[in-house]
Amino acid sequence: MSAPKSLHDLSGKWSMNRDLSTDVSPVLEIQGFNALIRKAVTYAPVNLTITQKGDGEIHIDQTTTASMPAVKEEWYPKDHEWRETKDSFLGKVRSRSRWTKAVELEKGFLTEGLGGEDEVIESEVEALEGTEWRAVQVWMFEEEKFVRRVVTTGKGGEKAETRLVYDFKVHLKTLPS
């Protein structure tokens, strides 16, 4: 029997648990996606394939069964440096991430249910073209489920809070650091 998954070993295949996740449509609206795209994303099964090299590098390929471009994420939580990328779904963005403790974060939606010393990954994403938006995420585990709490804000002060919950499906070999 393998050890439970943790933020230090996310490698594997994950599927979104729609019953435990909240509606992502308000986030997509802030990001400038039309109603048809928002509806397709809301109902399409979402899967993550995560490969992780130690605590310093995490790659996430997010796919759906809908005919939509996949979102590819690269996170480097040890260096907390901004990196620019061009994604086929989100367009040109910059992002950064870091390991931190819940006590270091602003109290509210992102830290609900966490103890002050709970270790999390905080990530930030900002649009660099098209609609102006910014998303702050906190990654954590609730029981054995991988959870990403996201607060997305838009240029006009719009704000959406989303809780995305993923169930582990298949183990992938953890890559060496």
Side-chain angles (χ1 to χ4, degrees), residues 45-87:
V46 175
N47 297 296
L48 305 178
T49 299
I50 302 177
T51 52
Q52 184 170 1
K53 284 184 171 182
D55 287 342
E57 188 174 336
I58 302 166
H59 297 265
I60 301 175
D61 290 326
Q62 179 176 308
T63 58
T64 70
T65 55
S67 299
M68 302 185 70
V71 174
K72 295 190 181 297
E73 303 175 53
E74 290 185 9
W75 299 102
Y76 300 89
K78 278 188 156 180
D79 68 16
H80 201 230
E81 297 290 325
W82 286 106
R83 287 184 165 74
E84 290 185 13
T85 58
K86 176 98 172 158
D87 183 87

Side-chain angles (χ1 to χ4, degrees), residues 72 84-93 129:
K72 295 190 181 297
E84 290 185 13
T85 58
K86 176 98 172 158
D87 183 87
S88 59
F89 189 71
L90 296 175
K92 189 173 181 182
V93 297
E129 65 184 10

Side-chain angles (χ1 to χ4, degrees), residues 14-64:
W14 301 81
S15 63
M16 182 183 285
N17 183 320
R18 293 266 179 214
D19 293 334
L20 298 177
S21 297
T22 57
D23 185 12
V24 73
S25 293
V27 168
L28 297 172
E29 187 171 2
I30 290 171
Q31 293 174 333
F33 292 100
N34 67 42
L36 184 60
I37 297 288
R38 292 194 308 266
K39 188 170 197 132
V41 170
T42 298
Y43 292 106
V46 175
N47 297 296
L48 305 178
T49 299
I50 302 177
T51 52
Q52 184 170 1
K53 284 184 171 182
D55 287 342
E57 188 174 336
I58 302 166
H59 297 265
I60 301 175
D61 290 326
Q62 179 176 308
T63 58
T64 70

Side-chain angles (χ1 to χ4, degrees), residues 24-168:
V24 73
S25 293
V27 168
L28 297 172
E29 187 171 2
I30 290 171
Q31 293 174 333
F33 292 100
N34 67 42
L36 184 60
I37 297 288
R38 292 194 308 266
K39 188 170 197 132
V41 170
T42 298
Y43 292 106
V46 175
N47 297 296
L48 305 178
T49 299
I50 302 177
T51 52
Q52 184 170 1
K53 284 184 171 182
D55 287 342
E57 188 174 336
I58 302 166
H59 297 265
I60 301 175
D61 290 326
Q62 179 176 308
T63 58
T64 70
T65 55
S67 299
M68 302 185 70
V71 174
K72 295 190 181 297
E73 303 175 53
E74 290 185 9
W75 299 102
Y76 300 89
K78 278 188 156 180
D79 68 16
H80 201 230
E81 297 290 325
W82 286 106
R83 287 184 165 74
E84 290 185 13
T85 58
K86 176 98 172 158
D87 183 87
S88 59
F89 189 71
L90 296 175
K92 189 173 181 182
V93 297
R94 73 179 191 151
S95 61
R96 69 180 179 174
S97 60
R98 69 180 177 140
W99 288 97
T100 190
K101 303 274 185 183
V103 71
E104 297 177 29
L105 302 171
E106 184 177 323
K107 298 278 184 243
F109 174 76
L110 292 174
T111 59
E112 278 179 13
L114 290 172
E117 291 302 308
D118 287 344
E119 185 175 46
V120 298
I121 296 176
E122 176 192 37
S123 63
E124 302 168 85
V125 183
E126 295 178 351
L128 296 176
E129 65 184 10
T131 304
E132 291 183 39
W133 57 268
R134 181 174 189 272
V136 177
Q137 304 178 30
V138 171
W139 303 5
M140 66 193 77
F141 269 81
E142 291 178 4
E143 297 175 10
E144 291 190 11
K145 299 188 182 309
F146 175 40
V147 176
R148 295 183 354 171
R149 290 179 178 268
V150 186
V151 175
T152 305
T153 53
K155 181 181 178 182
E158 310 92 340
K159 180 179 174 181
E161 299 175 340
T162 307
R163 181 174 176 261
L164 305 170
V165 180
Y166 301 92
D167 294 315
F168 178 71

